[in-house]
């Protein structure tokens, strides 16, 4: 018989339990009794411990190829997505793959060869690359309108596109693709052929504006984002758009079919982060400007913040979220781009028309827009 179960012992008397533990009479130490949890609770504890000690899963990595000297606003959406934390929220680490050749060709070759994952680019050089047997597909638009515009000084006698007969138009590079193709396509829409005007190189940004102001070029055919900083700063320009395709975007983010097959899930999340960046510009341009400056490594002082906010406000109507209620933000118009491809072929800017499905896809657009828009709007408006 267990002595601890016998008659009461004198005060302070000891007994030895059946487990061999000396202790006060009539007492069994509670810790000698095995702790039995219900099976579900036991499993829950084990799972919790395993999760607590499991290594954190690394974010998926993507690289965006871009020319090192591109104007800052060209990369606004990806910089805002970085600075506002939308990449992190999407479990992505996005880095830049900088190229140094003129134009977008080197960046596109990096994407086509697998050295980079994503190219912010116009559709024109993608069509040219396709003719060489290499493939990139634009999967998300970074604008809501045709990217290239024709700008003339406000006091210029040129009032319509037909007035460019006998005039000189400047592009980034006369040997490039996008600017030249956009010029030919725009002016062919009003019956002018390439023999009716002259295309010259005027470079980028300040160099281009100086040559335009000096009269060495009658007009500058440039992306609107390149002109906005000058216009916000006080340069008076008259802007003309493509006569038939002005409401269709021709620029976006592209990737190779191989990258889309191997990194499709990451590209979907990238697309959603870009849609959120576009919406932030619409809902809270000051917060978007702060995110852009932060990601670009620039000072976020009051003067810089005011200037960048003004630039984003001036650009809002041309960005993907020009209509924030649109449930297909970032979608390229397949019919609009097919019409543009046909026009490029008809005007001689490219050798032959190709099906738009060879260079454009909308496969990520639904996912990119599938989040709680009301909740996002509230958080965006409240952002600093």
């Amino acid at each position: 018989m267990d002595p601890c179960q016998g008659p009461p012992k004198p005060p302070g008397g000891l007994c030895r339990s059946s487990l061999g533990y000396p202790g006060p009479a009539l007492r069994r130490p509670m810790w000698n009794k095995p702790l039995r949890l219900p099976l579900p609770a036991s499993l829950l504890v084990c799972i919790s411990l395993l999760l607590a000690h499991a290594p954190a899963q690394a974010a998926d990595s993507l690289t965006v190829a871009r020319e090192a000297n591109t104007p800052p606003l060209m990369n606004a959406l990806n910089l805002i997505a970085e600075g506002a934390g939308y990449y992190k929220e999407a479990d992505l680490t996005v880095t830049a793959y900088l190229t140094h050749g003129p134009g977008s060709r080197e960046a596109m070759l990096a994407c086509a060869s697998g050295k980079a994952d994503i190219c912010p680019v116009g559709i024109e050089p993608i069509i040219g690359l396709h003719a060489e047997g290499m493939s990139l597909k634009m999967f998300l638009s970074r604008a809501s309108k045709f990217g290239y515009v024709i700008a003339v000084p406000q006091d210029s006698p040129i009032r319509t596109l037909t007035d460019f007969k006998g005039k000189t138009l400047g592009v980034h590079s006369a040997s490039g693709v996008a600017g030249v193709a956009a010029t030919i396509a725009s002016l062919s829409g009003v019956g002018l052929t390439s023999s009716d005007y002259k295309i010259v190189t005027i470079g980028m940004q300040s160099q281009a504006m100086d040559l335009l102001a000096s009269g060495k070029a009658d007009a500058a055919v440039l992306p609107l984002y390149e002109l906005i900083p000058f216009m916000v700063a006080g340069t008076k320009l008259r802007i003309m758009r493509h006569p038939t395709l002005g409401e269709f975007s021709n620029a976006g983010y592209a990737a190779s079919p191989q990258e889309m097959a191997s990194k499709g899930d990451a590209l979907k999340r990238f697309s959603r982060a870009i849609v959120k960046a576009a919406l932030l510009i619409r809902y809270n341009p000051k917060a978007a400007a702060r995110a852009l400056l932060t990601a670009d490594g620039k000072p976020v002082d009051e003067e810089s913040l005011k200037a960048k906010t003004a630039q984003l406000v001036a650009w809002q109507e041309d960005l993907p979220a020009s209509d924030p209620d649109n449930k297909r933000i970032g979608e390229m118009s397949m019919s609009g781009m097919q019409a543009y491809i046909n026009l490029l072929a008809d005007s001689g800017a490219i050798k032959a028309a190709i099906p738009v499905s060879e260079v454009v896809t909308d496969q990520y657009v639904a996912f990119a827009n599938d989040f709680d828009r009301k909740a996002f709007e509230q958080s965006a408006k409240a952002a600093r």
Side-chain angles (χ1 to χ4, degrees):
M1 178 178 177
D2 189 334
C4 289
Q5 295 177 0
K9 298 292 186 290
L14 297 177
C15 67
R16 185 169 297 275
S17 74
S18 60
L19 298 176
Y21 178 83
L26 300 178
R27 298 285 180 110
R28 289 182 184 270
M30 293 299 294
W31 52 86
N32 278 329
K33 296 181 179 180
L35 179 65
R36 297 186 183 279
L37 294 174
L39 184 59
S42 302
L43 285 174
L44 192 60
V45 170
C46 292
I47 292 169
S48 299
L49 289 172
L50 286 171
L51 290 175
H53 294 283
Q57 187 175 357
D60 290 323
S61 297
L62 291 172
T63 56
V64 177
R66 60 182 175 88
E67 209 276 318
N69 296 317
T70 51
L73 278 185
M74 176 183 173
N75 302 296
L77 292 174
N78 25 311
L79 288 171
I80 291 168
E82 175 71 34
Y86 300 145
Y87 288 154
K88 185 177 181 181
E89 184 181 291
D91 200 24
L92 294 173
T93 298
V94 180
T95 55
Y97 180 95
L98 297 181
T99 62
H100 300 278
S104 58
R105 182 170 176 80
E106 189 179 341
M108 287 197 309
L109 291 176
C111 285
S113 66
K115 293 179 181 177
D117 302 309
I118 301 166
C119 281
V121 69
I123 197 170
E124 301 87 355
I126 293 180
I127 296 169
L129 201 68
H130 183 275
E132 297 178 41
M134 292 178 278
S135 181
L136 290 179
K137 277 195 175 184
M138 197 168 290
F139 60 84
L140 191 75
S141 173
R142 53 188 173 92
S144 62
K145 294 181 172 61
F146 198 81
Y148 275 83
V149 298
I150 302 178
V152 298
Q154 195 171 53
D155 59 359
S156 169
I158 297 172
R159 297 285 171 177
T160 67
L161 294 178
T162 55
D163 294 333
F164 281 108
K165 187 169 185 177
K167 304 298 183 183
T168 299
L169 298 98
V171 298
H172 287 151
S173 171
S175 62
V177 177
V180 173
T183 302
I184 293 172
S186 294
L187 298 185
S188 69
V190 293
L192 298 181
T193 68
S194 56
S195 62
D196 291 323
Y197 50 85
K198 184 178 180 182
I199 296 177
V200 298
T201 297
I202 57 172
M204 301 174 71
Q205 302 183 79
S206 295
Q207 181 186 1
M209 291 297 96
D210 289 345
L211 289 174
L212 180 62
S214 71
K216 292 183 179 179
D218 297 302
V221 186
L222 299 172
L224 182 62
Y225 61 73
E226 194 169 334
L227 299 167
I228 282 176
F230 297 97
M231 296 167 68
V232 168
T235 301
K236 304 298 183 183
L237 297 173
R238 190 181 309 117
I239 302 298
M240 303 181 195
R241 294 184 181 269
H242 195 289
T244 58
L245 300 172
E247 296 301 311
F248 299 108
S249 170
N250 65 320
Y253 296 95
S256 70
Q258 295 85 353
E259 292 299 311
M260 295 175 78
S262 63
K263 296 188 177 182
D265 185 65
L267 292 173
K268 287 196 299 186
R269 286 178 277 135
F270 172 88
S271 299
R272 181 180 287 176
I274 295 299
V275 168
K276 289 182 176 181
L279 283 167
L280 183 63
I281 294 173
R282 195 71 190 181
Y283 292 138
N284 192 339
K286 186 174 182 179
R290 187 185 300 277
L292 191 160
L293 291 168
T294 300
D296 202 25
K298 297 293 192 296
V300 191
D301 55 72
E302 198 57 39
E303 184 179 351
S304 300
L305 195 57
K306 182 179 179 181
K308 195 60 67 178
T309 301
Q311 292 171 15
L312 292 177
V313 169
W315 199 21
Q316 279 181 338
E317 293 302 320
D318 280 65
L319 289 171
S322 57
D323 174 10
D325 295 326
N326 179 12
K327 302 304 182 185
R328 302 280 293 177
I329 291 173
E331 183 176 29
M332 301 283 295
S333 168
M334 301 294 274
S335 60
M337 284 303 93
Q338 186 65 69
Y340 183 41
I341 291 170
N342 295 342
L343 182 58
L344 290 173
D346 292 342
S347 63
I350 61 175
K351 291 182 179 179
I354 59 173
V356 67
S357 58
E358 294 288 319
V359 288
V360 177
T361 179
D362 64 356
Q363 67 189 77
Y364 302 143
V365 172
F367 181 92
N369 286 269
D370 186 17
F371 56 92
D372 189 333
R373 297 285 277 269
K374 279 294 181 187
F376 179 82
E377 180 181 353
Q378 291 174 358
S379 66
K381 288 180 176 178
R384 178 173 173 269

